[in-house]
């Protein structure tokens, strides 16, 4: 993609997702993810309805009228976006590939975090760590993250979610808000997810295409695995083949849901033709 095209696409995504985060998500995000605690901000005169336990007796005695302590939330949170950039993300049967929806969701979360003055970091992974951008604040930092999401070319097409969580544990020693965006078409990450979820506030966002769930009966079709590049003819007219395909997909789906839920992590699922806005809002409101 030419530099001009990249900048135009970054600007388009910024306008769309910034509007969503400013008007819809920033308040929900703030409410869903609390800060580290409360810190003293100031004292003010007592007002009817104030908690008497907040009265500052020293100031009250000095001015001969009641004053209360006012506290404010200590934010300074860190949002880590872990984004799957393996080959299976470049699939879509509608106007958008899975990668496009993942980019929009990640940008929306990033702008929501920056509106709340939180730091944002990025981990792009396949079956290796493709890119790590340390957490930082600022609009230019967010725009860099969006550019990478749009134009990054991974070295590998395969997926290893467990390795990505291991890397997260190495680089993030303090608690962070972690969103993992992937189609989760893989297994064997339950152990390391449990470890990560004990330290961090983890949410898995599964972005999928509804055409991936079932094989249509269209006879023999040459199919290629987007991650291994292996190709073979498949007889989609065979009911047993379609059943086996569906069962395999459902097995991975159930593994994702069960593994994240048992570890105490959150779960969001959205198809490429769903409204991810509604899915995110429902998740934030439910927390």
């Amino acid at each position: 993609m030419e530099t001009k095209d990249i900048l135009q696409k970054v600007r388009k995504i910024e306008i769309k997702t910034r509007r969503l985060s400013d008007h819809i998500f920033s308040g929900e995000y703030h409410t869903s993810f609390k800060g580290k605690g409360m810190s003293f901000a100031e004292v003010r005169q007592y007002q009817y309805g104030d908690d008497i336990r907040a009265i500052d007796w020293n100031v009250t005695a000095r001015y001969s009228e009641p004053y209360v302590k006012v506290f404010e939330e200590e934010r300074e949170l860190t949002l880590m976006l872990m984004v799957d950039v393996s080959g299976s993300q470049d699939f879509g049967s509608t106007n958008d590939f899975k990668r496009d929806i993942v980019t929009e969701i990640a940008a929306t979360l990033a702008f929501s975090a920056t509106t709340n003055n939180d730091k944002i970091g990025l981990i792009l992974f396949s079956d290796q760590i493709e890119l790590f951008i340390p957490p930082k604040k600022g609009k230019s930092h967010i725009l860099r993250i969006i550019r990478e999401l749009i134009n990054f070319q991974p070295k590998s097409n395969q997926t290893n979610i467990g390795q990505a969580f291991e890397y997260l544990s190495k680089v993030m020693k303090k608690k962070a808000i972690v969103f993992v965006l992937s189609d989760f078409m893989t297994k064997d990450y339950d152990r390391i997810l449990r470890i990560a979820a004990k330290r961090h506030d983890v949410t898995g966002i599964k972005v999928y295409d509804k055409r991936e769930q079932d094989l249509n009966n269209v006879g023999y079709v040459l199919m290629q695995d987007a991650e291994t590049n292996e190709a073979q003819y498949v007889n989609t007219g065979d009911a047993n083949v379609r059943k086996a395909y569906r069962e395999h997909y459902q097995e991975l789906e159930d593994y994702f849901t069960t593994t994240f839920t048992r570890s105490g992590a959150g779960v969001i699922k959205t198809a490429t033709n769903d409204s991810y806005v509604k899915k995110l809002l429902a998740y934030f409101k439910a927390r």
Side-chain angles (χ1 to χ4, degrees), residues 135-147:
K136 193 177 175 183
K137 298 180 181 180
K139 180 182 175 181
S140 61
H141 179 68
I142 303 301
L143 294 180
R144 181 198 169 188
I145 286 175
I146 296 174
R147 283 198 302 272

Side-chain angles (χ1 to χ4, degrees), residues 178-196:
V178 180
F179 282 93
V180 190
L181 295 97
S182 173
D183 54 13
F184 294 95
M185 300 299 287
T186 184
K187 298 170 85 174
D188 301 326
Y189 52 83
D190 53 328
R191 181 191 61 82
I192 190 63
L193 171 58
R194 285 197 302 271
I195 295 172

Side-chain angles (χ1 to χ4, degrees), residues 214-225:
D214 290 290
L215 284 178
N216 289 334
N217 183 355
V218 290
Y220 279 91
V221 176
L222 179 62
M223 302 184 72
Q224 183 177 31
D225 189 309

Side-chain angles (χ1 to χ4, degrees), residues 113-243:
T114 200
T115 300
N116 284 276
N117 202 36
D118 296 340
K119 296 178 181 179
I120 301 96
L122 176 69
I123 296 174
L124 298 183
F125 69 91
S126 54
D127 62 346
Q128 59 186 278
I129 302 305
E130 299 279 355
L131 177 69
F132 171 56
I133 299 179
K136 193 177 175 183
K137 298 180 181 180
K139 180 182 175 181
S140 61
H141 179 68
I142 303 301
L143 294 180
R144 181 198 169 188
I145 286 175
I146 296 174
R147 283 198 302 272
E148 296 292 357
L149 289 168
I150 290 172
N151 202 48
F152 187 83
Q153 299 299 315
K155 298 182 181 69
S156 174
N157 287 325
Q158 300 187 52
T159 312
N160 188 327
I161 295 174
Q163 187 178 68
F165 274 121
E166 287 181 357
Y167 184 80
L168 173 73
S169 297
K170 292 178 182 177
V171 297
M172 296 301 299
K173 300 300 183 183
K174 295 182 179 179
K175 181 178 179 179
I177 301 165
V178 180
F179 282 93
V180 190
L181 295 97
S182 173
D183 54 13
F184 294 95
M185 300 299 287
T186 184
K187 298 170 85 174
D188 301 326
Y189 52 83
D190 53 328
R191 181 191 61 82
I192 190 63
L193 171 58
R194 285 197 302 271
I195 295 172
K198 287 180 180 178
R199 176 181 295 175
H200 306 293
D201 189 333
V202 180
T203 300
I205 302 181
K206 178 182 174 69
V207 178
Y208 64 97
D209 191 290
K210 290 182 178 179
R211 288 292 298 273
E212 295 176 307
Q213 296 175 315
D214 290 290
L215 284 178
N216 289 334
N217 183 355
V218 290
Y220 279 91
V221 176
L222 179 62
M223 302 184 72
Q224 183 177 31
D225 189 309
E227 299 198 359
T228 64
N229 291 323
E230 181 181 347
Q232 68 179 65
Y233 281 96
V234 176
N235 181 12
T236 61
D238 188 329
N240 290 327
V241 170
R242 294 198 305 274
K243 180 183 177 183

